[in-house]
């Protein structure tokens, strides 16, 4: 057939984090002892109280359509969480529950973008941002932050990148893939530019509970009325409650934007899964001890990974302050020889690690940084140790 398919869809790169994870699972199914530093997916079971709420939803027949933008019960739980944890006042009509963080972002850009509108994305960025923006007809504008800036967008750089087509900037703190956390002062600088230049801020706070050390997570929308009005705060249950497969995300925004997102969603998915919404309400309103247990364990793993990287040749990393990733500079590996063959790129290094060392890592070309790779430490301590031993063996064999 000669019929042309969608140019927009053809321009989208498939998610490499998911592809790497799928490959690791495939190799494991073939009996290989693969260590997966790939997707950021907590290894813990979803806490029992959350699972029980889902089972009760099924047995009690809560298995029908819900309101398109989510149940009143879950919206109330989200409002309470925003108030108590983020110091943000949103009413239920400002909340849209969606099928996961990616879907929330898809809704946001469907609601705010017109064809050709620019969205500023600080690099390193989570690989799905540019693709989601493009799917909504927008144009991603990448602004690279250096290691000297701890990979965080500087207010001046944001201001310089703004044109008369700029509609929004994405801020992701704690950050995937770097684990960096913006300070209040840094966020105030960005908020000031956003207000003055009249652009939206899309604040992706999916890792908000996973913060280590002294610094606290701050929601940019909490820094004043003007920035509150132009921020869409986005989060979800996957990372903090080990609920990746349940697919529940949510946003807090102006009523106007929430209404548009709700309308879009009503045609796209009818509503988020009813059972998962019951589980999410329990996650947010029920006991929070499991969140702290997981956070503390991630912190132990983070310290261990950093110690190991510190002792390895040819690689280095800035200490992450949140999320569960270490962003590793592997530029010195490029040009070294492995088994007589030159390692041409970090992506090539990742291929060697999976094929010859049974270890999956994420090369960060799709995150805007060709010479870095990302390690997710959301896997067990034993697996981490085994994987770090293998990476170290690989590095020591290089010539
Ligand atoms: N967000 C996680 C990651 O970056 C899960 C995979 C994905 O959705 O990209 O690994």
């Amino acid at each position: 057939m000669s019929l042309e398919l969608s140019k927009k869809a053809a321009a989208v790169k498939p998610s490499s984090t998911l592809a790497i994870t799928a490959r690791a699972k495939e190799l494991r199914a073939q009996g290989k002892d693969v260590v997966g530093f790939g997707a950021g997916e907590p290894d813990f079971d979803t806490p029992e109280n959350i699972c029980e709420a889902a089972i009760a939803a099924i047995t009690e027949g809560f298995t029908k359509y819900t309101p398109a933008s989510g149940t009143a019960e879950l919206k109330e739980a989200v409002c309470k969480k925003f108030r108590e944890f983020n110091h943000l006042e949103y009413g239920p009509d400002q909340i849209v529950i969606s099928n996961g963080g990616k879907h929330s972002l898809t809704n946001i850009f469907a609601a705010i973008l017109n064809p050709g509108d620019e969205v500023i994305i600080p690099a390193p960025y989570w690989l799905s941002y540019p693709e989601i923006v493009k799917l909504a007809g927008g144009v991603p504008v990448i602004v690279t932050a250096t290691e000297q800036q701890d990979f965080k967008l500087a207010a001046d750089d944001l201001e310089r990148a703004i044109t008369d087509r700029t509609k929004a900037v994405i801020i992701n703190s704690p950050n995937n893939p770097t684990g960096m956390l913006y300070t209040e002062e840094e966020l105030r600088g960005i908020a000031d530019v956003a207000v003055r230049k009249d652009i939206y801020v899309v604040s992706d706070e999916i890792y908000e509970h996973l913060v280590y050390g002294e610094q606290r997570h701050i929601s940019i929308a909490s820094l004043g009325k003007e920035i509150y009005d132009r921020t869409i705060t986005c989060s979800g249950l996957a990372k903090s409650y080990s609920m990746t497969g349940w697919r529940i995300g949510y946003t807090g925004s102006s009523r106007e934007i929430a209404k548009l997102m709700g309308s879009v969603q009503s045609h796209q998915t009818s509503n988020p899964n009813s059972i998962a919404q019951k589980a999410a309400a329990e996650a947010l309103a029920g006991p929070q001890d499991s969140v702290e247990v997981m956070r503390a364990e991630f912190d132990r793993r983070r310290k261990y990974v950093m110690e190991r990287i510190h002792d390895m040749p040819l690689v280095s990393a800035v200490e992450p302050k949140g999320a569960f990733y270490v962003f590793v500079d592997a530029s010195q590996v490029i040009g070294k020889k492995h088994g007589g063959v030159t390692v041409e790129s970090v992506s090539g290094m990742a291929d060697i690690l999976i094929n010859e060392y049974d270890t999956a890592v994420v090369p960060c070309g799709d995150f805007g940084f060709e010479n870095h790779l990302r390690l997710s430490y959301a896997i067990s301590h034993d697996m981490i140790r085994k994987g770090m031993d293998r990476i170290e063996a690989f590095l020591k064999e290089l010539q």
Side-chain angles (χ1 to χ4, degrees):
M1 267 195 301
S2 60
L3 292 174
E4 193 189 9
L5 298 176
S6 159
K7 289 195 180 77
K8 221 196 271 180
V12 168
K13 286 190 222 155
S15 166
S16 57
T17 47
L18 296 186
I20 289 161
T21 309
R23 170 110 172 100
K25 283 188 181 158
E26 190 184 296
L27 290 171
R28 241 175 252 134
Q30 290 167 15
K32 293 224 159 141
D33 178 25
V34 174
V35 175
F37 289 115
E41 176 164 49
D43 59 319
F44 303 101
D45 290 335
T46 302
E48 218 175 298
N49 61 315
I50 300 174
C51 295
E52 274 163 13
I55 293 165
I58 297 171
T59 52
E60 286 161 18
F62 195 75
T63 52
K64 309 281 198 232
Y65 291 130
T66 75
S69 58
T71 62
E73 179 195 27
L74 180 51
K75 287 186 184 180
E76 283 296 347
V78 168
C79 289
K80 184 163 178 284
K81 178 260 165 192
F82 269 135
R83 190 177 315 121
E84 292 174 1
F85 184 77
N86 307 86
H87 310 292
L88 285 171
E89 281 298 333
Y90 289 117
D93 53 353
Q94 294 176 272
I95 306 298
V96 175
I97 313 295
S98 67
N99 299 282
K102 282 178 189 169
H103 188 214
S104 287
L105 290 162
T106 303
N107 283 338
I108 292 169
F109 292 114
I112 67 173
L113 294 185
N114 287 307
D117 283 353
E118 294 174 357
V119 176
I120 295 174
I121 304 177
Y125 48 79
W126 177 45
L127 77 178
S128 289
Y129 294 145
E131 307 310 306
I132 293 173
V133 166
K134 283 192 273 176
L135 277 171
V139 178
V141 173
I142 308 300
V143 178
T144 301
T146 61
E147 184 169 335
Q148 289 69 41
Q149 299 164 238
D150 275 351
F151 302 111
K152 290 185 273 190
L153 176 69
D156 289 352
D157 291 336
L158 170 62
E159 184 149 9
R160 268 192 290 278
I162 292 174
T163 70
D164 51 9
R165 301 305 313 253
T166 306
K167 188 55 90 51
V169 58
I170 303 180
I171 298 298
N172 174 216
S173 177
N175 181 274
N176 174 6
T178 65
M180 293 301 137
L181 195 60
Y182 283 72
T183 63
E184 178 171 342
E185 199 188 341
E186 287 161 349
L187 290 174
R188 283 199 185 279
I190 287 165
D192 174 57
V193 174
V195 169
R196 239 178 333 102
K197 294 288 186 174
D198 195 23
I199 63 168
Y200 287 113
V201 175
V202 175
S203 183
D204 180 357
E205 304 181 16
I206 186 93
Y207 297 99
E208 60 196 349
H209 288 293
L210 303 176
V211 170
Y212 319 106
E214 295 300 301
Q215 212 181 311
R216 291 281 151 264
H217 168 75
I218 293 167
S219 293
I220 190 167
S222 71
L223 297 179
K225 166 90 174 80
E226 285 176 308
I227 188 65
Y228 170 88
D229 287 342
R230 60 185 55 253
T231 298
I232 303 125
T233 309
C234 171
S235 191
L237 283 286
K239 312 296 186 183
S240 307
Y241 296 90
S242 199
M243 291 178 71
T244 45
W246 299 74
R247 310 312 304 139
I248 295 291
Y250 56 83
T251 48
S253 67
S254 69
R255 289 185 176 81
E256 201 185 357
I257 291 177
K259 199 163 162 234
L260 293 188
M261 290 195 286
S263 305
V264 168
Q265 181 159 297
S266 73
H267 292 290
Q268 284 179 332
T269 71
S270 294
N271 58 260
N273 178 295
S274 62
I275 301 152
Q277 288 190 74
K278 276 283 185 193
E282 170 62 23
L284 293 177
Q288 299 297 301
D289 348 354
S290 50
V291 178
E292 174 51 24
V293 169
M294 292 190 270
R295 192 204 64 81
E297 176 56 22
F298 288 137
D299 193 14
R300 270 192 288 280
R301 297 175 187 177
R302 173 185 75 109
K303 289 180 181 141
Y304 176 73
V305 173
M306 286 308 291
E307 275 166 26
R308 293 295 306 264
I309 288 175
H310 186 260
D311 292 340
M312 288 183 198
L314 304 172
V315 289
S316 62
V318 180
E319 188 184 335
K321 300 208 164 57
F324 35 53
Y325 307 109
V326 178
F327 190 54
V328 181
D329 181 347
S331 50
Q332 289 185 59
V333 171
I334 300 169
K336 297 278 176 208
K337 283 200 160 44
H338 177 261
V341 180
T342 305
V343 183
E344 303 280 1
S345 62
V346 170
S347 168
M349 167 179 172
D351 287 342
I352 298 170
L353 285 173
I354 186 79
N355 293 331
E356 297 180 35
Y357 293 80
D358 293 334
T359 301
V361 302
V362 177
C364 288
D366 288 350
F367 292 68
F369 266 65
E370 291 287 346
N371 293 345
H372 282 66
L373 58 86
R374 189 192 77 175
L375 301 176
S376 160
Y377 51 89
I379 54 174
S380 75
H381 201 279
D382 285 349
M383 282 305 234
I384 292 174
R385 189 173 46 236
K386 198 187 288 183
M388 297 312 282
D389 287 348
R390 292 175 184 177
I391 294 173
E392 187 164 24
F394 160 77
L395 292 170
K396 288 190 169 160
E397 282 159 26
L398 291 174
Q399 284 170 340

